[in-house]
Amino acid sequence: MKNAKRIVAMTLVTALCLFSFVLTGSTEAIAEYTPTLSMLHTSGKYIYNEENERITLRGTNLGGWLMQEGWMTPLGSGEIDHNFIVNITASDTNGNNIAAYASDTVTENGLTTNNMNTYWQSTSAQAADSAELLIEFDKTRYFDRIVVETGPNHTGDYLRGAVVWMSNNWTDWFSPASITVDESKASEGIITVLTGEQSAKYIAIRPGRASEDGQYWTVANISLCMTDEYNVRNHLIRRFGESRTNEMIATFQENYITEADIINIANMNMNFVRVPVYWMDFALKDGTLRTDADSGFARLDWLLEVCDENGIYVLIDFHGAPGGVNCWASCGQASTIPTELYAGDPDTVEWNQSVVLNIWSALATRYKDNPTVAAYGLLNEPVLNFDTNPAYENLKYGFYDEIYDTVRAIDNNHIVIFEEFMDWSVAANRPERQTWTNYMFDKHPYDMSNYLSWDAQKSLANNTVSTMSQIQDQWNVPLIVGEFCLYYFSDVWDDFLSDLNENSISWTNWNYKVRGTIYESGGGNWGYYNTWDGEDPDLMHDSANEIEAIWAATGTASHYQANEPHINIVSARADGSTNHPYVALDRSSWVVSANGNPQWPYDPVSNMIDGSLSTRWTTGEAQTAGHYVLVDFGQTENFDKIVLEHDANDYPGSYKVEISQDGAVFTEVELNNIHIGFGPKMVLLPSTPQTSRYVKISLTGPNPIDNWWSICELNILWRNVHG
């Protein structure tokens, strides 16, 4: 049973906030238009519109728009509030330049900056491990870099190298697995120590090498920073104030997603977008609901109108909550498990949850009659622990139930989505489900550790469809795959989307656009648009205008590259269609040739078509442009899939595919693949079906690690059903 006192308090807070929300005239900002889409609802395991037509939602995530992530957007790294440092000490101190001066601040007109006029200094020249600064936080906190500054008067005394030790209990100490010391601003006395994401209460830092000319170590400021929305927003608020910070973020949001992006999505045959949002889009730092023209409410108003014009439904996904919806920076706030949204200091937990409930009250009130809103995603990936601890599950589902009740007290029209992020068996046994209506469950399948394995990604895809189709039948509720990425394996994408469509399981990939290149783990097929052409802002030193200019330069058409092969693959299934099985061509009459210097036992070339993965053909030398394999079918054949199985990392560094009718004149085939190697099993998909007698696969450059090119098995296939 819920705490009655808590319910009354929350109801009063919600009512007051909503009353204030209406009095300020914010409701006047609601877009005035007549929606053309039809309100959706669930019935059994399907979704229907008001005309009783069955609907499957197929689309993409607008991740990074209303909540940035550093690998998708130029978020920058936010400084952890110096007020959270409860103690800073040094192993030695030169004169009166005490350690506390390394973290003191100055507040003027409500804005807080680091005091660069005072400093701590060592008593002797720097040498490896020669001096130490020890920082103690109020509690375990997450960080991914340490910025160490000398101040303008001691720029030569910058930190040489770095040794970092950390502890959560003072007894057990550990170091980051790897450290990168960025000395690009050493001439300004600024050193950034990149540690990777770490969590600690105590952090000790020392020089890693001797200074060149006997320079001491001087620190006017030392800051621990984290690349997450929570620390970035609060850091900017301290520097520039809340109003200016919201203006800067608004500039980013106005440019990152525009009407042209929604048209792109519609042109990809999609009917749906999932929109991750952060709580500070809708509330000020003190929890008061926002009423300004740059609020998340205004952003959603705009999106709903544009999406409706283009036949796109919208899912509002509560991606980042105060205290942390889970422990990951990717969901807004890196923090320990369980986060303070669910457990810890009772007053803090109550405040955090009250803010979430107030925002959902406002969202439900604003959009209860808007049919362009497909559904409300109550909490994104809620995690209290990494096992099915009953006490934690009770806390999670108890809060889920409170959000559900808050929404349903206002809005019975819209579908509500719950995420079973860890284990389906937990959701199966929750008593709360007995009172829920018009709802769905969401799942996010990923296998990030095996991103170069075709077998692993194919297994993930198959298991996801098999499990979810069974759950959908057994529970008689619709399901959605709200996030997923299957990396470079275009055929696995095609099969997965086809299977989801066939089983009436809705889907949205993660994500519409990312900043990484096609060749990086943070790029590739994570986005339909990638390879952003800018740099991260320096949130500690750039001016508000400089940060805003960087964030403004994030428009898709002008600052990203289209991932056309991937767009082609997904567009073909976003219309709800399904594919047909491939059939391998008969290899018995093939004549295969190749160049290079193969040596026994990696010859003859027929090893690649002998049906055994234990034999292989190889170039016998490091890959270079011009190495090729040529298949003569002996007759004209149709094909639309090429499968290469390699030995370990002996896959092509870069390649192209060509066809010919006479073996003399060759034409390059456009592929729905990136033209780089990506694992021991590669599947190459021509963008259109091909007809030829000869197929030639050629290397266009070396392998980054100078591996040979080794092929254990080569198969070419035909789907045999193309209009």
Side-chain angles (χ1 to χ4, degrees):
M1 178 177 288
K2 301 183 183 75
N3 185 299
K5 180 179 178 182
R6 157 105 179 250
I7 293 174
V8 171
M10 295 246 180
T11 302
L12 288 173
V13 171
T14 301
L16 288 172
C17 287
L18 287 173
F19 184 61
S20 171
F21 190 64
V22 173
L23 284 181
T24 59
S26 177
T27 52
E28 296 175 3
I30 297 177
E32 295 182 2
Y33 69 98
T34 302
T36 59
L37 293 173
S38 175
M39 188 77 74
L40 301 181
H41 67 278
T42 66
S43 179
K45 65 177 185 178
Y46 298 116
I47 303 170
Y48 293 90
N49 63 17
E50 290 176 283
E51 290 72 40
N52 207 34
E53 298 168 326
R54 189 188 299 177
I55 303 291
T56 302
L57 300 170
R58 302 174 302 275
T60 188
N61 275 269
L62 299 185
W65 178 45
L66 297 186
M67 199 202 82
Q68 293 197 57
E69 292 186 40
W71 69 280
M72 296 193 305
T73 65
L75 174 61
S77 190
E79 180 185 61
I80 298 173
D81 194 336
H82 280 22
N83 287 331
F84 296 150
I85 297 176
V86 297
N87 198 20
I88 181 168
T89 57
S91 58
D92 57 59
T93 298
N94 189 5
N96 294 321
N97 302 308
I98 59 175
Y101 289 156
S103 64
D104 57 342
T105 59
V106 176
T107 300
E108 186 175 349
N109 297 323
L111 305 181
T112 300
T113 57
N114 297 320
N115 188 352
M116 306 304 289
N117 296 316
T118 61
Y119 58 89
W120 165 84
Q121 190 175 65
S122 64
T123 59
S124 59
Q126 289 186 61
D129 294 323
S130 59
E132 178 181 275
L133 278 176
L134 175 66
I135 296 170
E136 179 185 354
F137 278 126
D138 57 338
K139 62 180 182 180
T140 294
R141 293 191 178 273
Y142 277 75
F143 63 95
D144 60 14
R145 67 197 64 197
I146 306 172
V147 179
V148 189
E149 305 177 82
T150 65
N153 300 320
H154 299 88
T155 54
D157 290 351
Y158 63 85
L159 175 66
R160 266 68 172 182
V163 176
V164 178
W165 286 91
M166 300 167 286
S167 176
N168 286 303
N169 56 14
W170 192 255
T171 300
D172 303 306
W173 291 82
F174 56 96
S175 291
S178 63
I179 287 178
T180 301
V181 180
D182 179 0
E183 298 187 0
S184 60
K185 293 187 176 181
S187 62
E188 303 173 49
I190 302 171
I191 297 296
T192 300
V193 182
L194 302 169
T195 62
E197 190 169 310
Q198 307 291 333
S199 62
K201 182 178 181 180
Y202 306 95
I203 301 98
I205 183 168
R206 307 167 188 162
R209 67 174 192 271
S211 53
E212 298 79 5
D213 298 307
Q215 292 93 339
Y216 286 20
W217 182 20
T218 302
V219 181
N221 176 68
I222 185 168
S223 295
L224 284 92
C225 303
M226 185 64 207
T227 308
D228 66 3
E229 189 86 10
Y230 169 80
N231 283 293
V232 164
R233 292 215 192 200
N234 283 288
H235 170 64
L236 294 178
I237 289 170
R238 291 192 296 274
R239 282 194 68 193
F240 305 119
E242 192 157 18
S243 177
R244 182 69 181 105
T245 294
N246 288 338
E247 289 176 358
M248 295 158 62
I249 291 171
T251 296
F252 165 78
Q253 293 173 346
E254 288 166 359
N255 287 277
Y256 189 73
I257 294 294
T258 68
E259 183 175 4
D261 294 300
I262 304 306
I263 293 173
N264 285 345
I265 291 167
N267 288 339
M268 290 176 64
N269 300 319
M270 294 179 175
N271 65 359
F272 184 49
V273 291
R274 180 174 180 260
V275 185
V277 301
Y278 191 61
W279 71 274
M280 293 178 83
D281 288 315
F282 305 100
L284 298 174
K285 187 177 179 180
D286 65 3
T288 304
L289 290 177
R290 287 176 58 176
T291 59
D292 57 280
D294 295 325
S295 73
F297 298 109
R299 290 278 170 264
L300 288 177
D301 290 348
W302 168 83
L303 179 70
L304 290 169
E305 182 172 1
V306 174
C307 281
D308 180 74
E309 291 171 354
N310 288 277
I312 304 287
Y313 282 102
V314 175
L315 161 61
I316 302 172
D317 160 50
F318 210 114
H319 212 78
V325 71
N326 56 42
C327 65
W328 299 304
S330 60
C331 292
Q333 184 174 348
S335 57
T336 54
I337 285 287
T339 75
E340 290 183 321
L341 181 62
Y342 312 102
D345 175 70
D347 291 338
T348 301
V349 173
E350 181 168 342
W351 189 89
N352 289 337
Q353 293 193 352
S354 296
V355 170
V356 174
L357 295 174
N358 289 339
I359 292 172
W360 270 121
S361 293
L363 290 169
T365 300
R366 196 176 187 91
Y367 301 121
K368 63 182 179 179
D369 297 318
N370 192 319
T372 310
V373 176
Y376 302 135
L378 300 188
L379 291 174
N380 175 70
E381 298 180 0
V383 175
L384 279 76
N385 199 23
F386 295 105
D387 59 34
T388 54
N389 180 298
Y392 285 159
E393 294 300 331
N394 288 338
L395 287 176
K396 180 174 79 173
Y397 274 88
F399 187 44
Y400 251 156
D401 211 30
E402 286 195 65
I403 303 174
Y404 175 85
D405 288 346
T406 298
V407 169
R408 284 292 182 247
I410 301 165
D411 181 355
N412 284 306
N413 293 328
H414 284 102
I415 299 169
V416 169
I417 294 181
F418 301 88
E419 291 189 23
E420 187 38 66
F421 189 65
M422 301 302 291
D423 190 341
W424 283 112
S425 65
V426 174
N429 299 316
R430 294 307 309 184
E432 295 87 354
R433 287 183 50 218
Q434 304 305 315
T435 61
W436 296 343
T437 60
N438 198 21
Y439 76 98
M440 300 172 62
F441 267 106
D442 183 6
K443 194 73 170 176
H444 298 174
Y446 290 114
D447 188 349
M448 296 182 183
S449 61
N450 292 303
Y451 69 99
L452 291 180
S453 170
W454 184 95
D455 291 324
Q457 298 303 319
K458 182 62 173 173
S459 177
L460 173 69
N462 289 348
N463 290 339
T464 297
V465 174
S466 175
T467 300
M468 292 185 72
S469 60
Q470 291 178 40
I471 293 290
Q472 198 162 250
D473 289 340
Q474 293 169 2
W475 295 7
N476 201 31
V477 296
L479 300 183
I480 179 173
V481 179
E483 294 182 20
F484 68 94
C485 179
L486 299 167
Y487 296 92
Y488 299 116
F489 304 103
S490 298
D491 66 315
V492 180
W493 280 85
D494 188 43
D495 289 344
F496 183 55
L497 299 183
S498 174
D499 291 343
L500 292 174
N501 291 344
E502 187 173 356
N503 286 277
S504 300
I505 299 172
S506 297
W507 53 267
T508 52
N509 76 298
W510 189 268
N511 187 49
Y512 173 67
K513 58 193 277 192
V514 295
R515 57 181 295 176
T517 71
I518 195 70
Y519 306 102
E520 300 171 338
S521 60
N525 286 342
W526 279 102
Y528 303 117
Y529 295 85
N530 53 38
T531 316
W532 179 61
D533 62 11
E535 300 292 334
D536 280 328
D538 181 348
L539 300 186
M540 291 185 62
H541 305 103
D542 288 350
S543 68
N545 289 342
E546 289 170 331
I547 296 168
E548 195 168 26
I550 290 173
W551 283 352
T554 54
T556 305
S558 54
H559 295 283
Y560 288 78
Q561 294 180 15
N563 186 356
E564 293 289 357
H566 191 46
I567 290 172
N568 292 339
I569 284 289
V570 177
S571 297
R573 298 291 161 244
D575 63 359
S577 63
T578 59
N579 61 26
H580 298 267
Y582 287 97
V583 177
L585 300 185
D586 182 1
R587 299 187 297 183
S588 62
S589 60
W590 290 9
V591 176
V592 183
S593 57
N595 65 356
N597 295 295
Q599 302 171 8
W600 186 90
Y602 310 126
D603 206 22
V605 71
S606 59
N607 281 352
M608 71 176 73
I609 58 170
D610 65 358
S612 173
L613 288 173
S614 63
T615 61
R616 60 185 168 113
W617 164 87
T618 182
T619 55
E621 58 189 5
Q623 295 180 35
T624 186
H627 279 144
Y628 70 84
V629 169
L630 177 65
V631 177
D632 177 1
F633 294 134
Q635 62 184 16
T636 298
E637 294 276 15
N638 298 319
F639 72 94
D640 54 5
K641 181 175 182 177
I642 301 170
V643 179
L644 296 169
E645 297 187 78
H646 305 102
D647 181 66
N649 292 320
D650 287 357
Y651 50 82
S654 56
Y655 60 88
K656 64 180 179 180
V657 174
E658 298 169 289
I659 59 173
S660 174
Q661 294 293 354
D662 59 9
V665 178
F666 284 84
T667 302
E668 186 169 352
V669 174
E670 182 181 352
L671 300 174
N672 284 333
N673 299 85
I674 60 171
H675 288 247
I676 61 168
F678 46 82
K681 184 172 183 178
M682 291 169 46
V683 177
L684 314 183
L685 295 182
S687 59
T688 58
Q690 301 296 312
T691 301
S692 71
R693 174 171 173 172
Y694 297 89
V695 176
K696 188 177 184 179
I697 307 167
S698 304
L699 302 188
T700 57
N703 186 296
I705 54 178
D706 291 331
N707 278 32
W708 297 356
W709 183 19
S710 299
I711 301 178
C712 299
E713 283 293 300
L714 166 63
N715 277 286
I716 301 177
L717 304 92
W718 169 238
R719 188 173 280 159
N720 200 29
V721 280
H722 293 283

